[in-house]
Amino acid sequence: MKKYMITLALLTLGMSANAQWISGLDEIEMQGHWVVTSVNGGFPEFNSDYHPQYPTAIDFNNRNYTYVWFTDYNGNETSERFAGYFVGGTATGRYTLHLLSRKEYNSDYTGLSFANFWIKQFDSQNMTISDYDGNSYIKLQKVDAASVRSVATDTTANSKAYGLNGVELPTPETAKGIVIQNGKKTVRK
């Protein structure tokens, strides 16, 4: 009987591990700005008179609003605000993404409005979400500081000079002691 129970437990663990579509999902790594790279199908969760149902980006924010961005019919950027998001698991072992209510709760809970998706693929830089039927999907790529290619800098030198106390020196050329100018410290005697 003991061997039977151990075998059953190992089989159960093995089946539940294989049931996951993705592994290593980290809800914290989802935070940030994700740009939509491709869309297939329709998403009635985002139907609006003001914009198409295809988002252009999603901002996942912890303890703050989550925004789904769109380009409206006039080419202007617009967004829908959600109260937040959470990731859940189900009995099938699939991860679900829930964008939380956009409306207020009322006594009979008819004011709730959620957008729910399967998370089909996730790593720290790429994610694919789909509707529950699996017929429509949105592919997203995370935009973070590591993806910034270049930053424009001001090439004109700042001739102002400061002392160690942070006070601007009125005559930087003749100042004595430690002088901070153009981001560099120099000692003048």
Side-chain angles (χ1 to χ4, degrees), residues 134-159:
N135 297 328
S136 303
Y137 68 82
I138 300 172
K139 290 188 177 190
L140 302 141
Q141 183 174 31
K142 190 172 187 179
V143 177
D144 58 12
S147 65
V148 176
R149 294 194 181 120
S150 65
V151 176
T153 59
D154 186 5
T155 57
T156 60
N158 183 357
S159 62

Side-chain angles (χ1 to χ4, degrees), residues 11-184:
L11 285 173
T12 303
L13 286 172
M15 288 189 321
S16 65
N18 288 335
Q20 292 290 335
W21 286 9
I22 55 179
S23 63
L25 176 62
D26 187 351
E27 206 170 32
I28 294 172
E29 284 189 46
M30 286 180 69
Q31 293 180 40
H33 185 71
W34 293 77
V35 175
V36 174
T37 58
S38 67
V39 176
N40 182 29
F43 290 91
E45 297 89 344
F46 300 130
N47 277 346
S48 171
D49 294 337
Y50 306 106
H51 59 73
Q53 60 183 337
Y54 304 115
T56 56
I58 300 176
D59 288 333
F60 293 104
N61 296 306
N62 183 31
R63 305 181 98 191
N64 205 341
Y65 294 113
T66 291
Y67 291 92
V68 178
W69 295 93
F70 302 88
T71 301
D72 70 13
Y73 296 110
N74 296 322
N76 301 313
E77 194 171 53
T78 184
S79 67
E80 282 189 31
R81 183 176 75 178
F82 290 83
Y85 74 98
F86 73 93
V87 174
T90 65
T92 62
R94 298 176 182 168
Y95 287 106
T96 54
L97 169 64
H98 306 280
L99 298 178
L100 302 178
S101 177
R102 294 176 285 193
K103 299 179 183 176
E104 298 295 324
Y105 289 95
N106 55 25
S107 60
D108 60 358
Y109 298 100
T110 58
L112 297 177
S113 175
F114 294 90
N116 302 303
F117 306 95
W118 291 121
I119 301 176
K120 297 189 82 166
Q121 182 269 330
F122 177 83
D123 61 44
S124 60
Q125 297 299 311
N126 297 289
M127 178 172 32
T128 302
I129 59 176
S130 74
D131 62 359
Y132 281 168
D133 294 336
N135 297 328
S136 303
Y137 68 82
I138 300 172
K139 290 188 177 190
L140 302 141
Q141 183 174 31
K142 190 172 187 179
V143 177
D144 58 12
S147 65
V148 176
R149 294 194 181 120
S150 65
V151 176
T153 59
D154 186 5
T155 57
T156 60
N158 183 357
S159 62
K160 294 182 181 181
Y162 301 89
L164 283 179
N165 59 359
V167 176
E168 183 178 348
L169 301 172
T171 55
E173 298 81 24
T174 61
K176 304 271 189 237
I178 298 175
V179 177
I180 302 169
Q181 189 173 21
N182 296 328
K184 297 179 183 176

